[in-house]
Amino acid sequence: MHGGRDVANDASTVFDVVILGGGSGGYAAALRGAQLGLSVALIEKGELGGTCLHRGCIPTKALLHAAEVADETKEAAEFGVLATFQGIDINGVHKYKDDVVAGLYKGLQGLVASRKVTFIQGEGKLSSQTSVDVNGQRVEGRHIVLATGSVPRSIPGLDIDGNRIISSDHALKLDYIPKSAIILGGGVIGCEFASVWKSFGVDVTIVEGLPHLVPLEDENSSKLLERAFRKRGIKFELKSRFSGVEYTENGVRVSTENGKSIEADVLLVAIGRGPVSAGLGYEEQGVAMDRGYVLVDEYLRTNVPTISAVGDLVPTLQLAHVGFAEGILVAERIAGLKVVPIDYDGIPRVTYSNPEVASVGLTEAKAVEQYGKEKVVTLKYNLAGNGKSKILKTAGEIKLVQVKDGAVVGVHMVGARMGEQVGEAQLIYNWEALPAEVAQLIHAHPSQSEALGEAHLALAGKPLHAHD
Ligand SMILES: Cc1cc2nc3c(=O)[nH]c(=O)nc-3n(C[C@H](O)[C@H](O)[C@H](O)COP(=O)(O)OP(=O)(O)OC[C@H]3O[C@@H](n4cnc5c(N)ncnc54)[C@H](O)[C@@H]3O)c2cc1C
């Protein structure tokens, strides 16, 4: 334990907030709570920072950047640069990735200590509606925040052995580059690993049960990603549901319900993540749950007045920045500030593959459902008309979804570095901007943000670098 008081020797301590789980959701609640003057205990059984820092966002994005460097080296001649791609030094890649994680981890530990959060290392269990038991002691709080996160999920008959059948946790640590890989699940995590592995020279096949990759995105984005992946030689089987897997002499053979049989060195199971809640005392203390998720209202309150829950443990979007936002909201509510419920449609979503897929707001299908077909207007702006994208040799589109004569309610982007554009797209959506208002903003030339500006010029009826 470090920071604050030693609860082991101070049984009378009652914290304002006791937080179970030190991932994105839990530590955000701790930092904000402490900032607002609350006394906070943060209990973590593994490493502070949780999935995002150690097994999720950060290490995957480091791998994706290494993949980008590999691709740029291979394609250097297209830019008149002489370079020879000699291969991937996987130990070097891991060292780079681990150094990034270690640096951020150290910074986060320092931050938590400096805010005087009492950090308790150990596996906790909810022991009453106002306490958590950890390391044989009871930690009391006026409020409890459950933030135990999620872990990779599998399905019956598919046992993750950590060797040939792996989860993202194992994939991040693989000390060799397989010749071939099957990825079960074409969602964000599956597509990001497909992208990395292809750049590292792996023969990749994605198996997805739904009709499209990144199926939660606007269909146009999915189709553009599929086109780009096809061009890169990333194979995928859509509408193909997993039916079984068997070991072969050197790898695995996956069969699908529609009669496909695919062999590879490894199978990465990326079919989603399930909540960590079993055996933690939640149900015993009367917390309402649904299939392992803790149920909350729009203020992240459970049915038990003293208990809140945040992050992947609750059935909202499983993203680190959602965890941060939920943690902050809970801390501010407990501290007595006025809080506003989160608009989950207004949260930016990025798949950091090559090319990137970024979006905020409603897909066209959702907008039609919400407003009616005749009320929805869409516009597609091709990145071919954007100078900076041309310089980067990237292809893609920005698609806008607008309510007729009203605000832009959806922005969907595919192309290199489009994740960096989602900040502006988020302002447009969340401020309910009209196309004409965005068209009035002058974007730097040549930049990729200019493509967003041009798309809005076109939607406002005055396209510049686009055909009428
Ligand atoms: C491969 C991958 C890539 C991802 N990429 C992105 C991305 O690019 N952007 C993005 O926004 N999101 C990304 N995510 C999702 C993101 O990591 C999660 O949404 C986020 O980490 C959720 O935060 P959390 O605090 O709810 O849970 P977690 O981060 O899982 O933290 C929960 C913590 O609780 C601890 N814990 C559990 N039980 C106990 C117990 N009984 N006692 C004490 N401690 C306990 C765990 O050890 C863990 O540290 C990615 C996830 C994965 C797997």
Side-chain angles (χ1 to χ4, degrees):
M1 179 192 321
H2 55 82
R5 57 209 116 165
D6 182 358
V7 288
N9 297 317
D10 184 3
S12 63
T13 301
V14 177
F15 291 91
D16 291 323
V17 197
V18 173
I19 302 166
L20 186 57
S24 311
Y27 83 69
L31 290 175
R32 184 68 181 126
Q35 200 171 47
L36 291 168
L38 301 175
S39 60
V40 180
L42 180 61
I43 302 168
E44 168 58 53
K45 69 172 178 184
E47 292 157 306
L48 176 67
T51 304
C52 170
L53 180 52
H54 301 281
R55 297 172 297 283
C57 328
I58 300 297
T60 49
K61 267 78 261 180
L63 288 187
L64 279 153
H65 184 64
E68 187 181 338
V69 173
D71 288 340
E72 295 209 332
T73 311
K74 287 183 225 168
E75 291 156 12
E78 289 180 33
F79 302 88
V81 176
L82 302 180
T84 313
F85 177 73
Q86 294 181 355
I88 302 291
D89 163 19
I90 195 67
N91 293 327
V93 171
H94 285 314
K95 183 182 179 314
Y96 151 66
K97 165 184 70 86
D98 295 343
D99 282 352
V100 172
V101 172
L104 291 170
Y105 183 34
K106 206 166 165 223
L108 183 61
Q109 286 172 307
L111 192 58
V112 165
S114 76
R115 294 264 175 97
K116 306 269 184 287
V117 169
T118 299
F119 181 73
I120 302 171
Q121 184 79 57
E123 183 161 7
K125 186 173 174 182
L126 192 65
S127 46
S128 77
Q129 296 189 347
T130 52
S131 67
V132 172
D133 282 0
V134 56
N135 304 332
Q137 64 173 125
R138 181 148 297 190
V139 184
E140 302 271 356
R142 274 182 276 278
H143 294 269
I144 305 287
V145 180
L146 305 177
T148 41
S150 66
V151 285
R153 198 168 39 201
S154 191
I155 43 179
L158 181 52
D159 294 325
I160 295 175
D161 65 14
N163 181 23
R164 284 192 247 170
I165 304 177
I166 61 177
S167 71
S168 59
D169 291 354
H170 307 110
L172 280 168
K173 294 200 165 126
L174 218 57
D175 60 2
Y176 69 101
I177 299 171
K179 281 202 178 60
S180 55
I182 300 165
I183 298 177
L184 192 60
V188 178
I189 294 176
C191 286
E192 289 187 351
F193 273 103
S195 192
V196 170
W197 277 346
K198 186 66 197 177
S199 302
F200 286 0
V202 183
D203 181 13
V204 182
T205 308
I206 303 171
V207 175
E208 167 60 54
L210 293 170
H212 286 295
L213 297 179
V214 287
L216 298 182
E217 295 291 343
D218 189 279
E219 198 179 27
N220 189 58
S221 295
S222 296
K223 286 182 176 167
L224 289 169
L225 180 69
E226 287 160 15
R227 188 187 300 165
F229 270 16
R230 217 174 279 124
K231 228 171 135 192
R232 291 187 59 197
I234 296 173
K235 293 175 272 184
F236 45 89
E237 299 289 347
L238 303 174
K239 294 189 201 159
S240 297
R241 289 170 61 88
F242 170 86
S243 68
V245 60
E246 55 189 340
Y247 290 106
T248 58
E249 199 181 327
N250 295 314
V252 289
R253 183 183 302 116
V254 168
S255 42
T256 64
E257 284 177 4
N258 54 357
K260 303 247 163 64
S261 171
I262 309 156
E263 289 190 28
D265 291 354
V266 293
L267 168 64
L268 167 61
V269 181
I271 54 173
R273 295 175 62 81
V276 174
S277 57
L280 297 184
Y282 300 172
E283 265 157 337
E284 288 91 320
Q285 299 309 326
V287 176
M289 321 259 301
D290 180 24
R291 281 164 294 170
Y293 288 99
V294 171
L295 297 176
V296 287
D297 67 8
E298 57 187 352
Y299 295 100
L300 289 313
R301 292 180 296 209
T302 71
N303 59 315
V304 179
T306 48
I307 302 179
S308 305
V310 298
D312 284 7
L313 180 63
V314 303
T316 53
L317 276 174
Q318 290 182 327
L319 289 170
H321 44 290
V322 171
F324 296 148
E326 292 176 343
I328 291 169
L329 187 151
V330 166
E332 293 187 348
R333 172 170 53 72
I334 291 172
L337 300 189
K338 189 174 176 316
V339 289
V340 179
I342 294 167
D343 170 9
Y344 287 93
D345 288 327
I347 289 165
R349 309 166 291 258
V350 183
T351 303
Y352 295 85
S353 48
N354 170 16
E356 292 185 348
V357 180
S359 66
V360 64
L362 306 181
T363 61
E364 180 179 351
K366 263 197 171 176
V368 165
E369 218 177 279
Q370 204 162 311
Y371 297 100
K373 198 168 173 46
E374 64 295 342
K375 278 270 178 66
V376 174
V377 178
T378 64
L379 178 125
K380 289 187 206 167
Y381 180 81
N382 197 310
L383 293 185
N386 175 249
K388 185 64 195 251
S389 297
K390 200 90 182 151
I391 289 164
L392 295 173
K393 285 184 180 279
T394 188
E397 279 179 9
I398 291 179
K399 174 176 168 179
L400 303 178
V401 181
Q402 180 203 9
V403 174
K404 201 170 181 186
D405 301 324
V408 173
V409 293
V411 181
H412 304 276
M413 305 180 281
V414 178
R417 304 183 187 179
M418 281 297 131
E420 299 299 330
Q421 306 310 319
V422 85
E424 181 179 1
Q426 170 182 9
L427 295 182
I428 292 168
Y429 170 87
N430 284 290
W431 272 334
E432 299 175 5
L434 301 174
E437 291 169 332
V438 184
Q440 234 178 325
L441 302 173
I442 298 158
H443 291 76
H445 175 78
S447 68
Q448 282 188 296
S449 72
E450 205 181 6
L452 257 179
E454 294 250 0
H456 285 85
L457 279 168
L459 193 56
K462 43 180 181 177
L464 185 61
H465 297 98
H467 297 282
D468 288 312

